Amino acid sequence: MKAAVLVFPGSNCDRDLAVALRAAGFDVTMVWHKDTALPADIDLVAVPGGFSFGDYLRCGAIAARALIVPALVDHVRKGGYAIGICNGFQVLLETGLLPGALMRNAGLKFICRDVSLTVATTDSAFTAGYSSCEEIELPVAHHDGNYRADAEVLAALWSEDRVAFTYGDNINGSADAIAGILSTNRRVLGMMPHPERAADPALGRTDGGRLFASLAAGLAPEAATA
Amino acid sequence: MKARVHIMLKDGVLDPQGEAVAAALGSLGFDGVEGVRQGKIIEIDLAASDPQTARDAAERMCESLLANTVIETYSVEIVG
């Protein structure tokens, strides 16, 4: 299985994400934002956390117009898998690959701590390795994680079972305490918490590693037949 | 020509920064502040010499980058 991790100026979780993906069995290539094509036969594009382009204008706004992004959009339109974590989630929203927007945390503070999450659906390659309604703990580190979408979009996310994670305690004021969402084909996940920072027993938590293991297990048969 | 773009959060979208500014004004003793909304102004110098051409260009820039129309509205002013 092959994964590409996109790297923008200001990305700072790109190498952690690569380590977590490699531990799950992915062959990982780092792809610079000025490239215009992804390596051949990529199964997963991962958009890492950080402060791409200094969070100028809006978080993720300038990264979402980078030269590599049309290749990401093309990959997703062909049914490829993608994950965006933290700033990567902001980038996926700014590209329009996922619906809604992320605004300044309701309490205005940058929040950096472990939080309790509920796995809201196990119906995706990302979350199949958890049990339904399981409570897990992952770190968050963000200033703009307050998820907003209009009532119609929120209703669709719930009715189509596309809310992946919710906060146990709604730390940032997100609509319906949403921490992560899936695309309509369930192959694109955007989430504010950092699974890649909870993927190695040596660092304390391993709940995030299960996401990458689940994804690898879900993608292995597809990669084998590709 | 110079285009001045005003970007504001849509009505009904919570503006935590505006709320914080309102609270700070209240704590400074300014009575009667019934609401604060914070936005952005972006000035763009354009080579176009025709106001309509400049306006059209600025509006396309708003749609493709400057505003996130999920949560924001924009207006363009041509200021000379």
Side-chain angles (χ1 to χ4, degrees):
Chain A
M1 293 162 299
K2 291 188 177 175
V5 174
L6 306 189
V7 185
F8 301 96
S11 294
N12 64 10
C13 301
D14 44 326
R15 283 174 286 177
D16 302 50
L17 188 50
V19 167
L21 286 166
R22 285 191 183 112
F26 284 91
D27 175 10
V28 179
T29 307
M30 310 305 278
V31 177
W32 184 235
H33 71 107
K34 285 187 175 173
D35 290 349
T36 53
L38 296 166
D41 304 323
I42 285 290
D43 300 295
L44 171 76
V45 179
V47 190
F51 299 85
S52 60
F53 295 93
D55 278 351
Y56 292 168
L57 192 63
R58 296 179 305 277
C59 300
I62 296 180
R65 279 79 180 173
L67 290 174
I68 191 61
V69 169
L72 162 66
V73 172
D74 189 49
H75 166 82
V76 168
R77 294 232 166 101
K78 287 179 181 158
Y81 285 83
I83 183 170
I85 297 167
C86 199
N87 188 224
F89 184 17
Q90 294 161 342
V91 172
L92 293 181
L93 293 170
E94 282 281 346
T95 60
L97 291 172
L98 290 172
L102 287 156
M103 299 187 52
R104 183 57 42 101
N105 293 341
L108 294 171
K109 291 193 171 70
F110 189 99
I111 304 170
C112 185
R113 61 182 168 92
D114 292 345
V115 298
S116 174
L117 300 167
T118 302
V119 179
T121 182
T122 54
D123 182 14
S124 78
F126 305 95
T127 55
Y130 299 105
S131 48
S132 185
C133 300
E134 183 177 347
E135 286 201 10
I136 61 171
E137 288 214 11
L138 293 179
V140 295
H142 62 248
H143 209 167
D144 297 79
N146 178 351
Y147 182 74
R148 294 281 123 196
D150 62 32
E152 200 176 317
V153 168
L154 290 173
L157 288 174
W158 287 111
S159 69
E160 294 165 13
D161 193 26
R162 288 165 52 202
V163 176
F165 300 100
T166 54
Y167 298 106
D169 175 22
N170 193 353
I171 53 167
N172 53 26
S174 288
D176 298 342
I178 288 172
I181 58 170
L182 293 159
S183 60
T184 49
N185 71 359
R186 320 189 78 75
R187 291 180 173 215
V188 181
L189 170 69
M191 61 189 294
M192 287 313 293
H194 286 275
E196 80 283 9
R197 294 190 189 178
D200 185 328
L203 296 178
R205 297 196 185 282
T206 54
D207 281 347
R210 294 164 59 199
L211 184 151
F212 300 107
S214 171
L215 189 56
L219 283 180
E222 286 192 28
T225 56
Chain B
M1 309 239 50
K2 186 189 288 287
R4 187 175 291 149
V5 175
H6 300 250
I7 296 167
M8 293 298 296
L9 288 171
K10 287 181 178 174
D11 290 343
V13 174
L14 177 71
D15 176 9
Q17 294 178 100
E19 302 265 324
V21 172
L25 288 171
S27 70
L28 285 171
F30 290 101
D31 296 328
V33 176
E34 294 183 345
V36 175
R37 305 285 282 171
Q38 181 175 316
K40 294 180 196 129
I41 293 179
I42 300 172
E43 288 188 343
I44 309 165
D45 290 320
L46 293 159
S49 54
D50 167 50
Q52 193 58 47
T53 308
R55 175 178 296 278
D56 290 348
E59 288 182 353
R60 286 199 307 278
M61 292 174 197
C62 288
E63 287 289 333
S64 61
L65 174 65
L66 301 180
N68 178 346
T69 54
V70 174
I71 47 170
E72 294 170 329
T73 58
Y74 64 85
S75 62
V76 174
E77 187 187 355
I78 301 298
V79 291

